[in-house]
Each structure stands twice: as C-alpha cells, then as structure tokens.
Amino acid sequence: MAAMLEFRTQGFNPYAVKYSPYYDSRIAVASAANFGIVGNGRLYALGLTAQGVQVEKAFDTNDSLYDLAWSEINENQLIVACGDGSLKLFDLGVDDFPVMNFHEHKREAFSVCWNPVTKDTFVSSSWDGTVKIWSPTRNFSIKTLPIGNCTYSTSFCPSNPALVSAVSSDSHLRLFDLRTPSSAKYHLVAAIPVHAPPPGGGPVGAGAAPSELLTHDWNKYNDTVVAVAGVDRVIRTFDVRSPDAGPQAVMQGHEYAVRRVAWSPHASDVLVSASYDMTVRLWNDGGGGPVAPAPGARVGRQMGIMNRHTEFVTGVDWCLFGVGGWVASVGWDERVLLWDANMLMGHR
C-alpha cells in the first residue's frame, strides 16, 4: 500500500473528513468525544506540510460533530452538523466561537452540504425527519422539506442548484426540485425505493429487504447518476431520470454497513466507500465501456482495498486537485489517513 500521511485526533472519534475546495493542502475533520454517544465535539482544520500534518485550527463544541462542509464562498469558513440539532458556521480567522448558529432541527443534525453551483445556500438533514435549506447570512431556514424518517444524508446536485437529494431510514432515495410548486408534495419529484426488485431482474443484491440508507453521492461527470449505500452493505447506482428502472450498477464486497460513498472528481466510473468493516474500498461501477444491451444492473468491480484503519471507517473524501488519486479517510480509531488511491487502482 502507498505511503501515507497520518494524524491522530487524540480523545476524539472522527465522523467526517473533507478536503478544502480551495487548497489541496488543507482538510477538515468533524469529530466527537466518546464515539458521539455523549460529550463534546471538535472541528479540526489540518494543513498538509513538509513536516507532516499540522493543526491549523481546532474548535470545540458542546456536542458531537457528525458532518461538515466547506463554504463555497469563503475559503476560511466551514459549516458543521451537531448532535444537539444545530449547525454552526466557523471561520478559521475567528477564535473559539462560531460566526453563525442555525438551530431549528429537533434531533441530531447528521448531514450538511454546500450548494456548489449558486454557492449561496447549504442544506442539512436530521434524525428529526426533515431536510432544511439555509442561507449562511440568516439564522432561520429558507425552506423545510419533510421526509418523515431519520434522514442520514442530503446533498445538492452538482450541476443543478434546484435539485436536492436525501436518503433515509425508510430505504428511499428522494429527489426534490425547488422549482416545482411546493403545494401537495413539498417539491418532491421522485422517491426511489432502493431495495425494490428491479423490473428486469438483475444480479444478486439488486433488490433486497428494505434497510436504512446511510449515504449517497452524485456522480461528478454524469449528473443524473447517484450512488447510495447503507446497512445492507451493497452500493447501488441509480439514474434519477428513470426512478422505476431499478439500479444501474451493484457493487458488493463490504462485510458491514457502508457509512460513506464518494464519486471520484477525476473519473466518471470510479468511487470510494468507507464501512464499519474497517475498510475503504475503491470501485469501478462498470460504466466506462459501451452500454450493455442486456436488461438489469451491471455488476461493478472492486479495484482495491485499504485496510489500515482499526475501527469503523466513518468518512472518506477525494482531493479535487493533482493527478487524481489522493484520498482522506477517518475512523473511530482516532486516525486521519491520507493516501494515494492510484496505488490501489493498478492499471484501470
């Protein structure tokens, strides 16, 4: 396995890691004391230097931190999702306290994502069964989208600022279009039953008993494709234009729940996943070649495995810059690992 950089989050168990969209040498980690069960949280801004990984800034919070997102309009600001339901905006130039606090969620805030297109809003999801859209300049939400179930992950479409996606404990991927009238369905335009058997059959794992979805991510090159995963250990991709068509691709190999998936920003058919089985795995979804005429889902291929973590792996992210293989992963072993996925890929 390739040489790695490593950092210890002593006394705190990380839940999420994100590379800065501005600098390839800066990452941030959201973490929680006592595995997020009780106690404080800590946000780390880390610099990758010739001397190794250095803390540029650390902020302590009164409750666990479960997710984070870099601001798309200010290189020094980050939003974090907190166990008390709040979202806090921190500025690396301001000591100790958040510059904004957003507190409407009634349960743990578990996911946060900045709008990458218009850059003027961010979205959050919570165990309270709602997704909320916010402006960083006002402390009350612009819009609330009711899901009705514990919602572990929400995101904006990377090319369309009006499309919001969410996955939740009821086994559905939901798509909201903020341009539609809010009456009746609160902008809901699709609810994809991820574990439903596909219409044309398909490989083992294409359909399954409903189970909680913990993570999803939009393909950066094909903006209608979303990867979803969770408790049943299988990664599936869907084309949101065909909500009833079943999964496009199925990737199996993880032994426990998949906690995080992330499409590569450098290749349309590569994604990485982090799991409670203590591994990070690199996948090819099989979408790079000609489209198969046969109905049913493709079977994706595992290209490599990184098994240097010794506890649940909870977060993974790609560096946007460079040759296209640097990945950061974090786990409950209090470790941040930075490594080159190209070493896993072999000859793609």
Side-chain angles (χ1 to χ4, degrees), residues 202-207 234-237 247-252 283-285 297-301:
V204 175
V234 181
I235 303 164
R236 298 172 178 84
T237 67
Q248 284 196 312
V250 175
M251 287 155 274
Q252 289 178 286
W283 306 88
N284 185 298
D285 77 340
R298 300 187 302 267
V299 178
R301 178 171 59 88

Side-chain angles (χ1 to χ4, degrees), residues 321-342:
F321 306 98
V323 182
W326 280 94
V327 170
S329 58
V330 294
W332 276 8
D333 51 7
E334 302 184 356
R335 290 157 82 212
V336 184
L337 297 178
L338 301 149
W339 44 281
D340 185 359
N342 283 313

Side-chain angles (χ1 to χ4, degrees), residues 18-343:
K18 294 284 167 62
Y19 270 95
S20 165
Y22 302 95
Y23 305 106
D24 61 359
S25 59
R26 180 181 275 175
I27 65 169
V29 177
S31 65
N34 307 307
F35 305 98
I37 298 162
V38 63
N40 298 8
R42 181 171 290 172
L43 170 64
Y44 295 88
L46 304 175
L48 315 181
T49 73
Q51 288 73 46
V53 185
Q54 311 275 347
V55 179
E56 292 184 358
K57 199 88 175 178
F59 297 99
D60 284 355
T61 55
N62 290 333
D63 215 311
S64 308
L65 298 184
Y66 293 132
D67 199 16
L68 77 162
W70 287 94
S71 165
E72 294 279 353
I73 45 177
N74 184 325
E75 65 192 38
N76 290 313
Q77 292 188 346
L78 305 116
I79 191 86
V80 293
C82 303
D84 63 1
S86 70
L87 309 160
K88 298 183 191 305
L89 185 69
F90 285 100
D91 190 305
L92 301 184
V94 179
D95 288 340
D96 299 332
F97 296 107
V99 291
M100 286 288 282
N101 190 53
F102 312 86
H103 202 165
E104 289 181 15
H105 284 302
K106 304 288 192 286
R107 295 279 312 278
E108 289 84 346
F110 213 65
S111 170
V112 67
C113 172
W114 210 284
N115 191 322
V117 184
T118 54
K119 305 181 188 300
D120 57 350
T121 53
F122 61 91
V123 63
S124 63
S125 75
S126 166
W127 293 7
D128 68 7
T130 66
V131 164
K132 287 179 179 283
I133 295 160
W134 310 81
S135 159
T137 59
R138 55 193 231 188
N139 58 10
F140 50 92
S141 62
I142 298 170
K143 197 174 287 290
T144 298
L145 305 173
I147 309 284
N149 295 274
C150 183
T151 305
Y152 292 108
S153 174
T154 186
S155 182
F156 281 103
C157 172
S159 64
N160 185 335
L163 290 182
V164 175
S165 54
V167 298
S168 52
S169 59
D170 71 347
S171 170
H172 280 72
L173 163 65
R174 286 177 174 81
L175 197 65
F176 299 88
D177 188 333
L178 304 180
R179 297 165 300 190
T180 62
S182 66
S183 56
K185 289 191 171 181
Y186 292 96
H187 309 289
L188 182 70
V189 290
I192 299 173
V194 165
H195 297 97
V204 175
S211 62
E212 295 195 312
L213 298 174
L214 303 177
T215 179
H216 75 301
D217 194 36
W218 292 80
N219 190 304
K220 306 302 181 281
Y221 290 87
N222 188 342
D223 62 8
T224 65
V225 174
V226 178
V228 298
V231 170
D232 81 343
R233 314 186 300 279
V234 181
I235 303 164
R236 298 172 178 84
T237 67
F238 290 86
D239 189 320
V240 298
R241 293 170 302 183
S242 310
D244 302 320
Q248 284 196 312
V250 175
M251 287 155 274
Q252 289 178 286
H254 278 298
E255 294 166 30
Y256 289 104
V258 180
R259 181 64 185 80
R260 193 80 69 158
V261 293
W263 284 100
S264 169
H266 310 288
S268 64
D269 54 355
V270 174
L271 66 161
V272 69
S273 57
S275 167
Y276 291 150
D277 66 11
M278 307 188 205
T279 68
V280 178
R281 297 177 194 237
L282 194 70
W283 306 88
N284 185 298
D285 77 340
V291 177
R298 300 187 302 267
V299 178
R301 178 171 59 88
Q302 182 176 300
M303 291 193 291
I305 182 167
M306 195 284 281
N307 54 7
R308 295 281 292 271
H309 283 287
T310 55
E311 255 295 352
F312 291 172
V313 190
T314 48
V316 66
D317 193 35
W318 294 87
C319 183
L320 294 172
F321 306 98
V323 182
W326 280 94
V327 170
S329 58
V330 294
W332 276 8
D333 51 7
E334 302 184 356
R335 290 157 82 212
V336 184
L337 297 178
L338 301 149
W339 44 281
D340 185 359
N342 283 313
M343 303 298 286

